[in-house]
Amino acid sequence: ASFGRTCPKRIDGEYATDVIPPMPFENELARSVSTPELRQMQVSTLPLPPAEPWARAQALSLFAWMNNTVHPTFTHVFRASDFAEGADAQADVKKSAQARFRTYLERIQGLVAGAKPYWLGERLSCHDAYAFTFLRWGGLAGIDPKSLPGYLAYVERVMAAAPVATV
């Protein structure tokens, strides 16, 4: 079955339909690193919790925030030279990004305060993996994980989960 989607395309004043091919998934690893919405569209047998539409939209929105805000902020910490020339300017970029990254980690700490036991409930999700990664990156950015005790306790639960603990 084709998972491609169609879209209108204007050709010489007329509308035509072209099929956009799906991303090819060669193996389970490729599936696991795709965005959850794309994965859901491509492989309908892999449910993304939660099933309720509003909760699902909220989960996708938070994942997009993690991907489009938190992650790029760390990039400014780790690769300040990509965003400024000269040691002083790079130090300013890094310092500013570290402060923003800290505020994002604090926001995540608040979000996971209600994790039962994981971000989206009983099952591990991409949110848990990303949150785990961000706290590790915080250490690289000079942020002591112990200064975020709720976040650290949550990550320790994630680390103890069977799929993660075996890695």
Side-chain angles (χ1 to χ4, degrees):
S2 171
F3 292 101
R5 58 188 172 88
T6 60
C7 66
K9 181 177 173 183
R10 193 167 195 112
I11 301 174
D12 296 328
E14 297 294 321
Y15 283 96
T17 302
D18 217 7
V19 174
I20 300 171
M23 286 181 55
F25 290 122
E26 295 179 5
N27 56 42
E28 289 299 316
L29 177 61
R31 275 192 201 103
S32 70
V33 297
S34 67
T35 65
E37 183 68 16
L38 178 62
R39 183 176 69 202
Q40 181 65 22
M41 289 175 4
Q42 298 271 341
V43 185
S44 61
T45 61
L46 297 175
L48 172 68
E52 192 274 318
W54 178 250
R56 172 180 243 131
Q58 292 288 72
L60 290 171
S61 176
L62 281 170
F63 189 80
W65 172 76
M66 295 167 86
N67 187 60
N68 298 328
T69 302
V70 184
H71 190 149
T73 299
F74 182 76
T75 303
H76 285 74
V77 173
F78 194 65
R79 295 193 342 234
S81 61
D82 288 357
F83 305 98
E85 293 184 21
D88 290 342
Q90 290 171 15
D92 288 344
V93 166
K94 184 174 182 176
K95 182 178 178 183
S96 174
Q98 284 171 313
R100 279 194 323 277
F101 195 71
R102 168 77 194 201
T103 64
Y104 298 149
L105 295 184
E106 290 169 353
R107 180 175 176 197
I108 292 170
Q109 178 172 248
L111 291 167
V112 300
K116 298 176 185 172
Y118 308 114
W119 192 310
L120 299 178
E122 295 295 319
R123 293 177 47 193
L124 286 170
S125 69
C126 54
H127 293 66
D128 300 299
Y130 229 169
F132 170 91
T133 301
F134 289 150
L135 190 61
R136 289 185 53 119
W137 289 355
L140 296 174
I143 300 166
D144 183 358
K146 292 177 184 174
S147 70
L148 299 158
Y151 196 164
L152 181 58
Y154 157 76
V155 166
E156 288 171 346
R157 283 195 310 274
V158 171
M159 289 172 52
V164 180
T166 59
V167 175

